[in-house]
Amino acid sequence: MDPSLLVLASTALGAVAGAGVAVAILGMRRAGRRRAAELRPELEEVATTILDEIDMFAVVLDSSLTPVYANPIARQERHISDDDIRDPDFLLRVRRVMTTGVPDTHEPDPTDPSDTVRIHIVRIQRRFAVILAEDLGEEQRVNAMRRDFIANVSHELKTPIAAIGLLSEAVQQAADEPAVVLDFAKSLVKESRRLGELSRDIIQLSEAQSALRPEDRESVSLRNLVRSEVESHREFAVQHGIELVVTDESDQDRDAVILGRPASLGAAVANLLSNAIRHSPDGGRVGVGMTIRRRSFIVTVTDQGAGIAPEHQSRIFERFYRVDGARTRGDGGTGLGLSIARHTMRAHGGDVDVWSQPGVGSSFTLAFPLHDPEGSAKSSKRAKKARRSTRGSAETAPAPEPAP
Ligand code: ADP
């Protein structure tokens, strides 16, 4: 890419050029919109009216490359520094557009994270050039994340699918040897279970990432939810030689109810329980605590496992992140459990957090915001009262002044 554009694109929306332009734009920021008309009355008002409304950075330069107008987004843009905009090469491009009338466009390079700004230079009314710029950084980031996710999913699916194919062929070939067939069949069950868990988690993750719609909001008793998940994990804990201990210190006089997706909320608790059991030493103890802190119901799942080193603690909530990828992949984990938990909790207005110390153990905390029907009834009464009083005063008050 043209080095001049690279400089410009590297600064979010720092896309306007010209010696002295900085001063002029800063001046316009202070002077506001009226200044455009004062500077160049021949710039048609219709043009500035349109540019005022568009959702991107727009600056108009006249034939001497002096800025005569900056739209509200350009006026608010704080990333422009004098260094960014004194770029002779960029000015040359503007001048070329001005003389030839041929628009110039710079598209960001999707593989270069520092190149995120799309720039259009267009001539208008023969004597002016409009510079339009928009930062596509967020869009590029989302696309990159999507690409990574698809690559990860295909990679994760490939292994069990290939294993199932090979094992099925092996079973056919060993048809006369029942012991060998039995062995292969066990591996087949293991691989197909892994495939099943992976597809279940991918579905749960996509559900957890989708916004909570009003029709998704069922009333869920958090105490029952936690107890039922604990019961579902008892057998699993016994298989691992783990004791599951539940303590409920929450104020029993208070209802612990949340409005949300019961299956997703259950999956968040289940993932923490399953992790704690899987990462605990034989004969260990997993504690599940419940308490209410202000307006949140807090569930803590604590284990006496190996713990998680500080450098991994912030990353374990990422999709497919495993502290020890190779070892834990065959261990029953899909690498999505904590990501599902975090997305679910955030979609419900809560969050999940971790405390861990290598050699001591880990403690994961879920904070559920409590639904307070009394509080919401009171606040809706307050809102109704406020609406009534504003309606009353609106009926008697004079008509509002038109916006300036
Ligand atoms: P997985 O399905 O692999 O368990 P998670 O998203 O649930 O995926 O967890 C991500 C990683 O965090 C795990 O692979 C593991 O390395 C680590 N981890 C999660 N919970 C614990 C725990 N209780 N103790 C130690 N490490 C844990």
Side-chain angles (χ1 to χ4, degrees):
M1 182 177 72
D2 187 324
S4 64
L5 281 182
L6 191 64
V7 172
L8 290 162
S10 65
T11 309
L13 295 183
V16 188
V21 172
V23 180
I25 288 180
L26 294 173
M28 270 192 287
R29 275 183 197 146
R30 282 192 291 270
R33 186 187 320 176
R34 269 168 303 160
R35 184 126 164 101
E38 283 164 23
L39 276 167
R40 281 289 177 276
E42 61 272 38
L43 178 63
E44 279 176 18
E45 206 185 324
V46 64
T48 54
T49 308
I50 293 169
L51 294 174
D52 267 350
E53 296 304 321
I54 64 169
D55 192 20
M56 64 170 84
F57 183 106
V59 165
V60 179
L61 308 183
D62 70 5
S63 50
S64 65
L65 303 187
T66 304
V68 293
Y69 163 85
N71 78 345
I73 290 185
R75 290 203 294 268
Q76 281 159 20
E77 181 49 57
R78 299 277 171 234
H79 292 103
I80 303 171
S81 71
D82 288 5
D83 288 346
D84 293 321
I85 59 181
R86 283 195 191 113
D87 188 80
D89 290 341
F90 187 70
L91 273 185
L92 252 178
R93 297 177 76 132
V94 179
R95 195 176 289 289
R96 202 163 42 230
V97 171
M98 203 83 99
T99 15
T100 61
V102 180
D104 189 345
T105 299
H106 164 69
E107 285 293 342
D109 176 356
T111 60
D112 179 357
S114 66
D115 179 9
T116 61
V117 180
R118 175 187 282 155
I119 305 167
H120 293 294
I121 312 167
V122 195
R123 189 175 78 179
I124 56 165
Q125 288 177 240
R126 305 202 126 255
R127 272 167 304 158
F128 299 101
V130 187
I131 294 155
L132 299 167
E134 59 183 325
D135 189 2
L136 302 181
E138 180 58 16
E139 198 179 308
Q140 263 170 258
R141 205 180 56 77
V142 170
N143 285 340
M145 260 169 53
R146 196 170 294 145
R147 274 198 305 275
D148 279 359
F149 181 63
I150 291 169
N152 276 326
V153 168
S154 0
H155 176 75
E156 297 284 337
L157 287 173
K158 229 185 277 170
T159 320
I161 289 173
I164 288 171
L166 287 173
L167 285 164
S168 317
E169 278 174 32
V171 167
Q172 275 177 339
Q173 281 161 18
D176 303 336
E177 299 168 76
V180 180
V181 168
L182 194 67
D183 233 25
F184 286 148
K186 274 187 197 155
S187 303
L188 262 173
V189 170
K190 196 173 146 211
E191 292 301 334
S192 56
R193 195 170 289 158
R194 194 169 148 195
L195 200 56
E197 280 164 6
L198 195 57
S199 24
R200 177 207 60 199
D201 280 3
I202 291 170
I203 292 167
Q204 278 183 1
L205 181 66
S206 87
E207 219 167 61
Q209 285 177 317
S210 60
L212 214 57
R213 296 163 306 173
E215 61 267 33
D216 293 333
R217 294 183 187 271
E218 280 179 45
S219 167
V220 181
S221 153
L222 288 163
R223 290 188 187 97
N224 291 348
L225 181 93
V226 173
R227 288 198 182 276
S228 133
E229 289 303 334
V230 168
E231 287 322 307
S232 319
H233 282 78
R234 283 235 183 258
E235 179 59 32
F236 186 53
V238 169
Q239 284 166 10
H240 283 72
I242 308 294
E243 190 192 358
L244 266 179
V245 184
V246 181
T247 40
D248 184 354
E249 292 171 353
S250 65
D251 177 356
Q252 301 298 311
D253 290 339
R254 282 183 71 182
D255 279 341
V257 170
I258 189 170
L259 295 185
R261 272 193 292 250
S264 303
L265 294 164
V269 178
N271 288 338
L272 297 197
L273 284 172
S274 136
N275 280 351
I277 296 168
R278 280 190 294 117
H279 292 282
S280 285
D282 224 1
R285 221 172 118 118
V286 167
V288 181
M290 290 178 258
T291 188
I292 293 179
R293 232 178 273 147
R294 283 195 220 111
R295 312 189 78 172
S296 295
F297 189 77
I298 311 288
V299 178
T300 312
V301 179
T302 307
D303 65 58
Q304 302 166 319
I308 305 160
E311 66 270 27
H312 295 295
Q313 288 177 19
S314 59
R315 300 210 55 197
I316 51 175
F317 297 97
E318 291 172 20
R319 294 175 296 201
F320 294 117
Y321 188 83
R322 296 173 176 100
V323 172
D324 181 352
R327 193 175 57 77
T328 48
R329 186 169 278 121
D331 207 24
T334 60
L336 291 176
L338 290 178
S339 181
I340 293 170
R342 174 156 280 180
H343 282 289
T344 300
M345 294 306 292
R346 291 192 174 170
H348 286 79
D351 212 344
V352 53
D353 221 335
V354 60
W355 173 93
S356 186
Q357 195 170 334
V360 176
S362 308
S363 186
F364 285 83
T365 305
L366 299 170
F368 299 87
L370 285 174
H371 171 57
D372 175 8
E374 234 174 70
S376 34
K378 266 187 214 154
S379 63
S380 79
K381 261 186 208 160
R382 262 200 306 273
K384 264 189 201 154
K385 205 173 158 191
R387 269 201 300 274
R388 264 202 309 273
S389 70
T390 44
R391 220 179 289 143
S393 53
E395 276 155 17
T396 48
E401 297 242 335

